[in-house]
Amino acid sequence: MLRELAHLKKAKVGRFSSYDKTGRNQDYWIIPPGESRVLADIEGPGTITHIWMTQRNHYREVLLKITWDDAGHPSVLCPLGDFFCLGHGIVNSFQSLLFSASTRHNNQFNMPCALNCYAPMPFRKRAKIELINESSESHLQYFHIDYEVYDSEDDLKDLGYFHAEFHRENPFGGWGHEIDVNSPESNIVNKEMIAWENNYVILETRGRGHYIGCNMSVTNFKGQWWGEGDEMIWVDGYKWPPEIHGTGSEDYFNQAWGMQKNAFLRNGSSVHEEDTGGYQTCYVFHIENPIRFERDIKVTIEVGHGNHLCNEVSSVAYWYAEKPTKVLDPPPVEKRLPILRDGYRKVWIQDKEKQITTKRVQLTEEMLEMKRRWKEKHP
């Protein structure tokens, strides 16, 4: 990685930015509600080397859209904050290898924040970056998009296209949210097709490429430890056990005994629930150990052991693919906004009209028995 600093390479560098072309100091763009703007349109072959953005708000309402090589679909389509590893519309200062953020307003909703992405994004013909304002207000945006272009596609040999996909379950359709975490009743068997069908899906895509990590945000309705869920990652089709089977949620994010208040280069907490009253965002990047696939990949994690919890969960998966691949459309804006809390009553404000649960865990005989036992203990 650092050897690239000494690698002399023939390339033309450039930047698209929001600078004031009149020479004055209004170095921002205003995007009216319901409209989109093209921030950069670059003729390849080339690589986007760095993205910097800063704004006051709208971290869930505004979408970042990136399309490669005139494809008829985007390969990145994410809420702005979540793309940069800040979930829930909350800002916080943190540092990682691929993303960083800096703000004076740590752990607050919708406040000014600087966002950076250093993931290299190669393209062969064209790169088009857009911002879509789905809020009901005008959106103010400063930005830099740094890139380099080459004389030949030979400079891009064996390089994949960057992808990012947002997913949300609000709430996740768990089978026993009333049951305490790590209780005997929560300790059901979750394996084989039950796990394949029921786990929260971080990424499911076809084609050839490699998965490089994700961020995951949790709104902790339960109020206990939200983890215990193992990651299970299937490569090139279903089999049991999968190629990757972990030992717990915090373990997948390379921590232990819960998530700590730190942000390392490859893993950590960009938002910690102890600072926010129940909102958590974790991230992990497979820099040295990307998970390579030839035909397809399914990246999943349990929500609570055996998927018994019904917390809100959202995520962004990051991967490189051989060809530009269509990502899932995010939920409509009203169904991706953060769940707020009534500060006086200290309860979560649940609005059924804004919820999105794409599937519910199908109850097994063991789940039904454990729910019965729990009810007997807690009539």
Side-chain angles (χ1 to χ4, degrees):
M1 184 165 51
L2 291 178
R3 290 179 64 184
E4 283 295 310
L5 287 176
H7 182 203
L8 299 181
K9 187 175 186 177
K10 185 178 180 181
K12 296 179 181 178
V13 300
R15 167 180 286 179
F16 282 81
S17 82
S18 57
Y19 81 96
D20 189 339
K21 294 181 180 179
T22 70
R24 299 186 186 277
N25 195 34
Q26 309 289 26
D27 292 321
Y28 54 80
W29 287 12
I30 298 292
I31 305 176
E35 296 190 15
S36 64
R37 290 290 184 272
V38 175
L39 308 188
D41 194 343
I42 311 166
E43 185 177 346
T47 299
I48 294 170
T49 55
H50 171 232
I51 299 174
W52 167 86
M53 292 184 165
T54 190
Q55 55 292 305
R56 295 192 181 110
N57 50 9
H58 303 143
Y59 294 95
R60 274 277 166 94
E61 296 92 330
V62 166
L63 295 174
L64 177 66
K65 178 181 179 181
I66 305 178
T67 307
W68 305 122
D69 292 1
D70 295 316
H73 48 260
S75 294
V76 174
L77 190 59
C78 290
L80 185 61
D82 295 83
F83 177 80
F84 290 92
C85 295
L86 291 175
H88 312 289
I90 293 174
V91 300
N92 199 22
S93 298
F94 81 98
Q95 180 182 9
S96 75
L97 196 62
L98 299 184
F99 299 93
S100 68
S102 181
T103 180
R104 297 177 183 270
H105 309 280
N106 288 320
N107 303 306
Q108 297 182 49
F109 287 102
N110 282 314
M111 296 296 283
C113 183
L115 307 170
N116 289 279
C117 173
Y118 297 96
M121 302 181 188
F123 56 96
R124 284 158 180 81
K125 297 178 182 178
R126 185 186 183 195
K128 186 177 180 181
I129 301 181
E130 302 170 77
L131 217 57
I132 305 170
N133 179 12
E134 295 188 343
S135 78
S136 59
E137 307 169 312
S138 292
H139 177 75
L140 179 149
Q141 188 69 58
Y142 297 81
F143 65 89
H144 298 164
I145 298 170
D146 297 322
Y147 66 93
E148 55 187 36
V149 294
Y150 317 121
D151 292 336
S152 168
E153 288 187 19
D154 292 343
D155 293 275
L156 304 175
K157 185 179 180 181
D158 298 325
L159 298 183
Y161 292 89
F162 182 84
H163 290 69
E165 180 175 278
F166 178 78
H167 182 204
R168 189 188 201 192
E169 297 287 332
N170 173 35
F172 178 79
W175 61 268
H177 192 71
E178 74 276 16
I179 297 173
D180 283 351
V181 177
N182 284 325
S183 65
E185 289 79 11
S186 71
N187 193 22
I188 66 158
V189 173
N190 187 51
K191 59 188 292 190
E192 299 171 339
M193 289 303 295
I194 294 176
W196 170 272
E197 293 291 343
N198 289 336
N199 291 357
Y200 175 85
V201 177
I202 296 171
L203 172 64
E204 188 169 13
T205 190
R206 300 186 64 81
R208 179 172 179 257
H210 55 254
Y211 167 71
I212 61 165
C214 71
N215 69 67
M216 188 174 81
S217 298
V218 177
T219 307
N220 191 354
F221 300 148
K222 183 67 173 176
Q224 301 174 348
W225 167 227
W226 51 264
E228 293 310 310
D230 298 352
E231 81 273 17
M232 303 180 198
I233 303 176
W234 283 272
V235 175
D236 295 335
Y238 171 81
K239 77 279 293 178
W240 190 262
E243 281 74 10
I244 307 292
H245 195 304
T247 55
S249 304
E250 74 272 47
D251 305 348
Y252 176 53
F253 294 100
N254 291 338
Q255 301 205 339
W257 308 103
M259 293 297 299
Q260 288 81 56
K261 296 182 188 180
N262 49 47
F264 299 127
L265 292 184
R266 293 163 179 80
N267 67 288
S269 298
S270 48
V271 175
H272 198 277
E273 61 183 331
E274 291 179 10
D275 294 326
T276 57
Y279 301 99
Q280 172 77 33
T281 301
C282 317
Y283 63 89
V284 63
F285 301 129
H286 303 279
I287 304 299
E288 292 81 8
N289 57 330
I291 300 174
R292 306 183 191 279
F293 54 96
E294 292 295 321
R295 299 192 310 274
D296 56 72
I297 189 171
K298 186 173 184 178
V299 181
T300 76
I301 193 168
E302 298 171 294
V303 180
H305 174 73
N307 298 303
H308 83 287
L309 293 178
C310 296
N311 290 323
E312 182 268 338
V313 185
S314 57
S315 60
V316 176
Y318 306 102
W319 75 102
Y320 287 93
E322 185 176 41
K323 299 177 181 179
T325 303
K326 185 180 187 305
V327 295
L328 294 175
D329 291 334
V333 63
E334 66 274 8
K335 292 195 174 186
R336 63 176 187 262
L337 295 176
I339 297 94
L340 302 180
R341 201 165 194 172
D342 185 321
Y344 178 74
R345 295 187 296 153
K346 298 188 183 303
V347 296
W348 297 102
I349 302 171
Q350 300 277 7
D351 184 345
K352 292 189 179 297
E353 294 297 317
K354 297 179 179 179
Q355 292 180 342
I356 179 167
T357 302
T358 60
K359 64 179 180 180
R360 297 188 182 278
V361 172
Q362 296 299 306
L363 290 167
T364 64
E365 290 298 324
E366 184 183 25
M367 293 173 192
L368 289 168
E369 174 61 19
M370 292 305 179
K371 288 172 75 71
R372 185 191 65 78
R373 291 185 189 180
W374 182 261
K375 189 174 182 179
E376 283 184 354
K377 290 181 179 180
H378 304 83

